[in-house]
Amino acid sequence: MGIATAQVCSMRQVATMVGSPRIVTGRSVLHPVGDPGLDLDAERALRRRILLDALKALGSNGTRDAA
Amino acid sequence: MESFRIVHYLNQFFGQLGGETAAGAPPQIKPGAIGSGRVLQNELGNGFEIVATALCGDNCFADAPEATADELVGLIAEFRPQLVIAGPAFNSGRYGQSCGMLCAALQDRLGVPAITGMHEENPGVDQFRRRVLIVRTGATARSMAEALRSLAALARRIAAGDAIDRPAEAGCFPHGMKRPVVRDKTAAQRAIDMLLHKLAGQPFATEVSVPRFDRVAPVKLATALSAANVALVTDGGLVVKGNPDRMPNGYCDRFTTIPIGGLERFTTDLVEAHHGGYDTQFVNQDLNRLVPLDAMRELEREGAIGHLHETVYATAGLGMSLTNARKIGREIGARLRNEGVQAVILTST
Amino acid sequence: MRLEFRPAPVYRATFGASTRIHDGTLTIARDELRALLNGDRRLADVDIEIANPDEDCRITDIFDVFEPRFKANGGNFPGVLERAARVGDGQTAVARGAAVMVLNAMSDRYKLTVDMRGPSARFSPYAHTANVCIRSNPAPGIDRAGYYRALKEAGVRAAIYLGEAASHAPSEDSEVLTLSPSSLSERSTLPRIAYIYMLASQQMPTEPDEPILYGDNVRNLLPTILHPNEVLDGAVLAPYWNFGGDTYTAQNHPMIRELYTRHGRDLNFAGVIATIAAETEAGRSRSAIMAANLAHDTLGADAVVLTKYGGGIPESATMETYDACEALGMKGAIVIWTHGGDGSVEGSLTFMSPGANAVVSCGLNEESIDLPPVARVIGNASIGPLIMESEGETRPSNGPLHLRFLFLAGAADQLGGGFRSVEEY
């Protein structure tokens, strides 16, 4: 039995090219699940939102554009 | 002058041992040319001699490929060939596999050039083209005469000492490899030339071809998320502070592990990002921006996931070769499976 | 715009009483130039050294390279020392054959090297220029960004100073580059070709005061149209992360030069669109769409040629821009580097668009060259570690050197000036 994966990636094209089944767009190549431009609370909320998208994608069958 | 010595390899069918019922025939070798080998001998003409024909059933080869190839190499070596011609295998999968494997083994162990022929849809093409010269043939034995002519032409070039630097120009599948060259026009000149040809609808040759990738079927999550053991993985270069595994920050050939058991969030005294392909200052201020440990702990407490796996796996994906990427991916996957992980969130930079 | 280059040829440089160009020799008043550069309090221990073609000499730690230029009516590297001014028009004196090299005393994984003779000379234009090298240390308390800004200013100052000497020397044939709005819009059967020029990649974010385009740091640059003369006349400087082309390369931009050469003959040069590789996916998409629209609907291009700058993320940005252009019916060609990977054709780029069928390689990243020891080094006593090298991988600067072409100054040209390439087989 394989392992279900979701990829948080800021270079969606790269992930698509190599056939990553569940791709969630990250914030930036410099900080995929954060943003130094936000205050701490907003940054935490952003991180949580990206992860919730990733979890939602994990629960799906695996399309290219899960979230 | 002594003739150029060639050994020919055939499966049970073309070697006249029998049809599918003889597919289990063991490796054997017979002096001289057999069946299509006689036509090949005619095509080769004077100065070339098929000194022996090696034979093996397709199933026998497929059941124990390594051992069978070994045995055939031994049999063939006794005839001191200067070249081995296998097949052609056309679009026959098992035969193509045997021909490719035998050619590769002969080159590796005896240092003897070995060539074969296949149809473009034969899986053996992709499997062996990198290492073996494979002549393009039709799909079936109906194109035998033409295929033998191509193989004979290639054999004559090899006998003459031609290194076949450009397989496509010799009627073969390209190796699918690349090498550095110096051209006589600048890149700007070449790009404009190419663009003008493209605009005019004239032929042009790209210098970098579009790759084909394996397609991995998506795996469905086996359990409910609220019961799943979820692991965090990154290619953004997370390492334990001080990088004790000495993971390279680019052109990486390995991965590292970061234990997170009992850890609420990453702090800069415990871990750091080590990656040469992007400016790491922002993630090094707060490593949770790279691997979201704090938020995952929150979700774990809320029951959104069953359990957060206690090890983070990390590598640095800068200029990594596909060979290393596949190897690292397989290794991490195997470890995670053994550790009972059902789902992974991979954060990429 | 009508730009007239008035080149004074330089074959060698030497120190002397006063700065001037005579009979192909650039004579430099060392103390005067040193004093000029020492006026910057961010720099300490400023010194000038010279390396001429075929000398047994290696220059290391190169931060950037400038061609000496002077515009008597102003507009010298606008936005750096002086305010933005119109460039690309009028006369510009050039000390052609000379180069100013600014050396970086701080440790940095991206520094360039050049040998003035030997096996690498055929790959680097700077083995054939008379090089005026500026060495310095950061003054106490000066951080990296402050030092790098001071290095750029020192390079610009020296380039103007030597360019002024060129303006007093007799010029051989002057060269006129003109591309007027009427020639841009003229009806012609020749295909209209626009050039999409990536100035920088924000995967290494530029500093707030990093001068790249008229002094702007292009941190949030949206695609914009430039006249090719602006690029050739000093409006564009290399980023601090010099990874693909020096300021000298922009001043002699290989792609723009080639398009000019063929303008009116094989093609109609429709103009230049400046862009960046943004760090976010949204930013890259925005830039791709806007650049394609400018090429198609403002410049009226039939086709575009694209180059990239920097590392791997720009590969994605370039491909996305290419796709956006082809989606509008324009044809595209790309100049891009090639990753070696495992040697197979699959791993040549981190991203390649399935439709990218006209791609020119500007060389294999992993390819190296072996350089023999040299008698004299201008630069730090040791080299490395450079990018892709392990911690502690340093070696003496004067010894035999196994160097990636990426770090051979002028040979890592991503703007199309090199002859290196790959062949698939």
Side-chain angles (χ1 to χ4, degrees):
Chain A
M1 191 64 216
I3 299 169
T5 59
Q7 184 177 10
V8 178
C9 181
S10 310
M11 307 240 292
R12 176 180 287 267
Q13 292 167 306
V14 177
T16 306
M17 178 175 75
V18 300
S20 192
R22 300 178 188 88
I23 307 167
V24 176
T25 302
R27 187 67 158 187
S28 155
V29 289
L30 304 178
H31 35 78
V33 285
D35 189 340
L38 300 175
D39 65 42
L40 202 57
D41 285 345
E43 186 177 10
R44 286 201 171 140
L46 165 78
R47 180 146 58 242
R48 183 181 168 86
R49 203 159 61 236
I50 295 172
L51 282 183
L52 286 172
D53 282 346
L55 291 179
K56 192 170 135 204
L58 279 174
S60 76
N61 283 332
T63 60
R64 283 290 146 63
D65 291 288
Chain B
M1 205 181 90
E2 206 190 332
S3 289
F4 189 81
R5 298 171 66 84
I6 292 175
V7 170
H8 193 200
Y9 172 76
L10 295 169
N11 71 354
Q12 80 282 355
F13 179 75
F14 291 100
Q16 300 175 347
L17 294 176
E20 200 56 37
T21 48
Q28 49 201 285
I29 196 159
K30 296 178 178 173
I34 294 175
S36 57
R38 299 206 176 89
V39 185
L40 180 60
Q41 175 67 68
N42 280 340
E43 287 292 343
L44 287 163
N46 290 334
F48 294 84
E49 189 188 351
I50 297 179
V51 292
T53 304
L55 303 160
C56 182
D58 282 336
N59 288 352
C60 170
F61 206 125
D63 286 345
E66 309 279 340
T68 308
D70 271 352
E71 198 175 338
L72 283 165
V73 168
L75 294 173
I76 290 169
E78 288 176 26
F79 284 83
R80 292 175 295 107
Q82 292 164 281
L83 173 71
V84 176
I85 299 176
F90 305 105
N91 199 16
S92 158
R94 285 174 308 171
Y95 193 18
Q97 170 84 20
S98 326
C99 287
M101 189 124 186
L102 178 61
C103 287
L106 285 160
Q107 292 178 158
D108 289 350
R109 310 235 187 99
L110 301 184
V112 174
I115 60 177
T116 182
M118 297 184 204
H119 180 252
E120 62 187 5
E121 282 168 20
N122 194 316
V125 172
D126 270 351
Q127 221 175 332
F128 295 102
R129 66 195 293 173
R130 283 197 191 184
R131 295 180 287 160
V132 176
L133 280 171
I134 306 172
V135 167
R136 286 178 180 275
T137 73
T140 68
R142 276 201 295 275
S143 59
M144 178 66 89
E146 197 189 328
L148 293 178
R149 252 196 309 281
S150 305
L151 279 166
L154 181 62
R156 277 193 295 270
R157 285 180 64 169
I158 291 171
D162 188 335
I164 318 288
D165 283 335
R166 297 186 176 84
E169 289 172 13
C172 298
F173 293 97
H175 288 310
M177 304 297 281
K178 66 202 167 206
R179 59 187 162 220
V181 288
V182 178
R183 299 189 190 267
D184 55 8
K185 287 181 172 179
T186 66
Q189 290 170 324
R190 278 148 36 217
I192 301 298
D193 285 346
M194 204 181 274
L195 189 53
L196 291 173
H197 279 95
K198 188 171 166 178
L199 270 164
Q202 293 158 350
F204 61 93
T206 188
E207 294 175 10
V208 183
S209 55
V210 177
R212 293 176 303 164
F213 284 95
D214 316 333
R215 287 285 160 221
V216 181
V219 171
K220 205 168 177 299
L221 190 58
T223 53
L225 257 178
S226 55
N229 189 15
V230 181
L232 295 172
V233 179
T234 187
D235 57 34
L238 188 75
V239 297
V240 169
K241 187 85 177 171
N243 192 16
D245 288 348
R246 297 190 64 79
M247 192 172 72
N249 70 349
Y251 290 70
C252 200
D253 56 357
R254 70 194 84 161
F255 61 89
T256 186
T257 55
I258 300 103
I260 55 166
L263 209 58
E264 266 304 300
R265 58 193 317 275
F266 285 124
T267 48
T268 51
D269 55 327
L270 297 176
V271 287
E272 60 188 333
H274 188 64
H275 193 297
Y278 68 98
D279 185 341
T280 53
Q281 62 165 317
F282 303 112
V283 294
N284 270 323
Q285 288 160 3
D286 180 356
L287 280 306
N288 301 282
R289 287 172 179 158
L290 177 61
V291 177
L293 175 57
D294 55 358
M296 282 302 281
R297 283 285 183 229
E298 222 173 82
L299 292 164
E300 184 185 32
R301 267 196 303 277
E302 294 167 12
I305 62 166
H307 177 67
L308 181 59
H309 189 56
E310 63 269 15
T311 307
V312 170
Y313 287 84
T315 185
L318 163 65
M320 182 184 285
S321 76
L322 280 175
T323 308
N324 280 337
R326 290 189 178 114
K327 178 181 75 111
I328 290 168
R330 269 196 296 270
E331 286 171 9
I332 293 178
R335 297 261 299 253
L336 289 171
R337 188 162 51 187
N338 287 340
E339 292 162 8
V341 167
Q342 286 95 31
V344 160
I345 294 176
L346 166 67
T347 49
S348 296
T349 50
Chain C
M1 279 186 173
R2 182 184 185 280
L3 176 62
E4 183 183 357
F5 279 128
R6 297 182 61 80
V10 171
Y11 301 104
R12 62 185 293 271
T14 184
F15 291 121
S18 65
T19 298
R20 66 174 196 146
I21 296 172
H22 181 71
D23 276 349
T25 297
L26 168 63
T27 305
I28 300 164
R30 188 179 196 169
D31 292 341
E32 186 179 86
L33 179 54
R34 193 160 39 200
L36 178 71
L37 303 177
N38 252 329
D40 190 330
R41 288 164 171 251
R42 293 166 297 187
L43 300 180
D45 319 314
V46 175
D47 205 358
I48 318 292
E49 292 189 60
I50 286 172
N52 281 305
D54 208 37
E55 249 188 83
D56 191 359
C57 175
R58 173 174 299 155
I59 307 165
T60 68
D61 304 288
I62 299 168
F63 178 67
D64 197 6
V65 187
F66 300 80
E67 184 170 57
R69 296 280 184 87
F70 185 68
K71 293 176 80 66
N73 297 324
N76 291 292
F77 303 96
V80 183
L81 296 173
E82 45 176 276
R83 286 156 66 124
R86 179 173 166 87
V87 296
D89 200 29
Q91 285 193 350
T92 302
V94 185
R96 180 139 301 153
V100 171
M101 295 190 158
V102 188
L103 274 50
N104 177 3
M106 281 188 167
S107 72
D108 191 316
R109 282 178 171 263
Y110 295 88
K111 297 205 278 195
L112 306 172
T113 291
V114 66
D115 276 11
M116 300 308 292
R117 60 155 78 159
S120 65
R122 63 188 281 233
F123 297 104
S124 175
Y126 309 126
H128 311 283
T129 49
N131 298 324
V132 181
C133 307
I134 302 169
R135 300 190 61 184
S136 68
N137 284 311
I142 296 300
D143 66 2
R144 184 176 293 273
Y147 181 54
Y148 284 4
R149 170 79 197 191
L151 289 182
K152 285 286 177 191
E153 291 186 17
V156 164
R157 244 184 218 109
I160 297 170
Y161 171 83
L162 298 174
E164 191 174 359
S167 74
H168 301 307
S171 173
E172 290 181 344
D173 351 276
S174 78
E175 180 192 12
V176 175
L177 295 169
T178 172
L179 204 62
S180 65
S182 64
S183 78
L184 289 176
S185 62
E186 93 194 1
R187 283 178 189 283
S188 162
T189 51
L190 296 174
R192 293 176 61 77
I193 297 186
Y195 167 43
I196 300 181
Y197 176 17
M198 186 185 292
L199 302 177
S201 169
Q202 295 296 349
Q203 74 198 104
M204 301 284 184
T206 50
E207 296 290 342
D209 63 346
E210 183 171 339
I212 296 174
L213 177 63
Y214 285 95
D216 184 69
N217 68 353
V218 304
R219 184 83 178 90
N220 295 301
L221 180 81
L222 295 175
T224 190
I225 294 173
L226 294 178
H227 193 285
N229 287 5
E230 294 176 273
V231 178
L232 298 176
D233 204 23
V236 175
L237 267 61
Y240 294 165
W241 184 37
N242 181 341
F243 201 42
D246 312 298
T247 297
Y248 184 102
T249 320
Q251 291 174 286
N252 295 280
H253 199 299
M255 186 61 78
I256 291 176
R257 281 288 189 176
E258 180 63 17
L259 285 162
Y260 251 129
T261 301
R262 298 170 81 154
H263 175 65
R265 198 177 75 200
D266 302 329
L267 56 87
N268 219 333
F269 187 4
V272 177
I273 297 163
T275 189
I276 57 164
E279 79 196 57
T280 62
E281 185 169 291
R284 289 193 293 277
S285 298
R286 185 186 301 130
S287 290
I289 292 298
M290 288 180 70
N293 287 346
L294 287 175
H296 186 258
D297 296 286
T298 301
L299 297 179
D302 303 307
V304 294
V305 60
L306 304 98
T307 60
K308 72 166 257 268
Y309 197 93
I313 289 152
E315 296 170 20
S316 261
T318 302
M319 290 292 165
E320 195 167 351
T321 310
Y322 169 94
D323 283 346
C325 289
E326 292 247 332
L328 295 178
M330 294 181 288
K331 302 287 184 202
I334 297 169
V335 174
I336 204 160
W337 67 9
T338 303
H339 299 293
D342 56 5
S344 74
V345 298
E346 273 85 20
S348 292
L349 291 166
T350 53
F351 175 72
M352 194 159 180
S353 161
N357 62 359
V359 180
V360 162
S361 168
C362 55
L364 196 64
N365 281 341
E366 290 81 350
E367 195 193 356
S368 301
I369 186 163
D370 284 301
L371 305 178
V374 290
R376 175 181 171 228
V377 168
I378 302 175
N380 296 338
S382 67
I383 291 183
L386 299 169
I387 194 70
M388 298 176 240
E389 296 174 355
S390 322
E391 294 295 337
E393 198 174 317
T394 62
R395 51 269 192 209
S397 297
N398 63 352
L401 195 60
H402 186 69
L403 191 74
R404 287 180 200 264
F405 277 101
L406 281 182
F407 299 106
L408 181 67
D413 185 348
Q414 297 200 52
L415 304 184
F419 296 89
R420 293 174 52 239
S421 178
V422 296
E423 180 185 42
E424 297 183 347
Y425 66 98

